[in-house]
C-alpha cells in the first residue's frame, strides 16, 4: 500500500497532505482476548524505504506483549493502533492531547488505556 513518502510530523498530519493514506503502510490485525480485534498499522514516512517484519508477524502467529514485530528501514515512521468500539477506555492524557489535535509521544510500554 502507498506510493509516496510524506513526513508524519504534526504539521503534516493537520494539513491537506494525505499522510496516512498515501505513505507506505502495512495493516496487521491482532486478535486479543482482552481488546478483541486490534488493527496495528505501520506507516513508513519520509525516507523509509520499507517495513520489515519478523517471522512472528505471519498470519496465524501468536503475538506476545512486547514482542519484536519488525523494523523500518531508514528514516521516520509512525504506528497507528485501532481498537474496536467499546473495547478500550483511553487514558486521560491521550484524550486531552487528541482534543487539542496534538501529537502524543508513545513509547513501548506506555499505557494507552484499559480494557472496557
Amino acid at each position: 500500500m502507498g506510493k509516496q513518502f510524506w513526513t508524519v510530523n504534526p504539521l503534516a498530519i493537520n494539513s491537506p497532505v494525505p499522510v496516512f493514506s498515501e505513505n507506505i503502510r502495512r495493516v496487521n490485525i491482532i486478535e486479543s482476548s482482552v481488546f478483541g480485534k486490534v488493527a496495528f498499522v505501520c506507516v513508513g514516512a519520509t525516507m523509509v524505504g520499507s517495513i520489515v517484519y519478523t517471522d512472528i508477524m505471519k498470519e496465524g502467529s501468536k503475538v506476545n506483549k512486547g514482542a519484536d514485530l519488525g523494523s523500518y528501514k531508514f528514516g521516520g515512521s509512525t504506528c497507528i493502533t485501532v481498537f474496536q468500539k467499546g473495547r478500550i477506555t483511553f487514558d486521560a492524557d491521550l484524550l486531552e492531547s487528541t482534543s487539542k489535535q496534538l501529537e502524543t509521544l508513545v513509547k513501548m510500554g506506555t499505557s494507552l488505556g484499559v480494557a472496557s
Side-chain angles (χ1 to χ4, degrees), residues 1-75:
M1 293 183 170
K3 298 177 181 103
Q4 297 194 45
F5 300 104
W6 303 96
T7 182
V8 291
N9 72 42
L11 290 175
I13 291 169
N14 292 315
S15 75
V17 175
V19 174
F20 297 125
S21 62
E22 288 293 326
N23 279 5
I24 187 168
R25 61 209 179 279
R26 297 229 359 222
V27 179
N28 309 281
I29 304 299
I30 298 169
E31 299 272 351
S32 167
S33 60
V34 177
F35 294 105
K37 288 185 180 180
V38 179
F40 184 71
V41 185
C42 299
V43 182
T46 303
M47 302 186 43
V48 174
S50 62
I51 301 166
V52 179
Y53 285 110
T54 61
D55 286 343
I56 201 168
M57 291 304 290
K58 290 182 179 171
E59 188 171 338
S61 295
K62 181 177 177 174
V63 178
N64 294 315
K65 182 177 180 178
D68 179 9
L69 304 180
S71 61
Y72 296 98
K73 293 295 183 183
F74 187 73

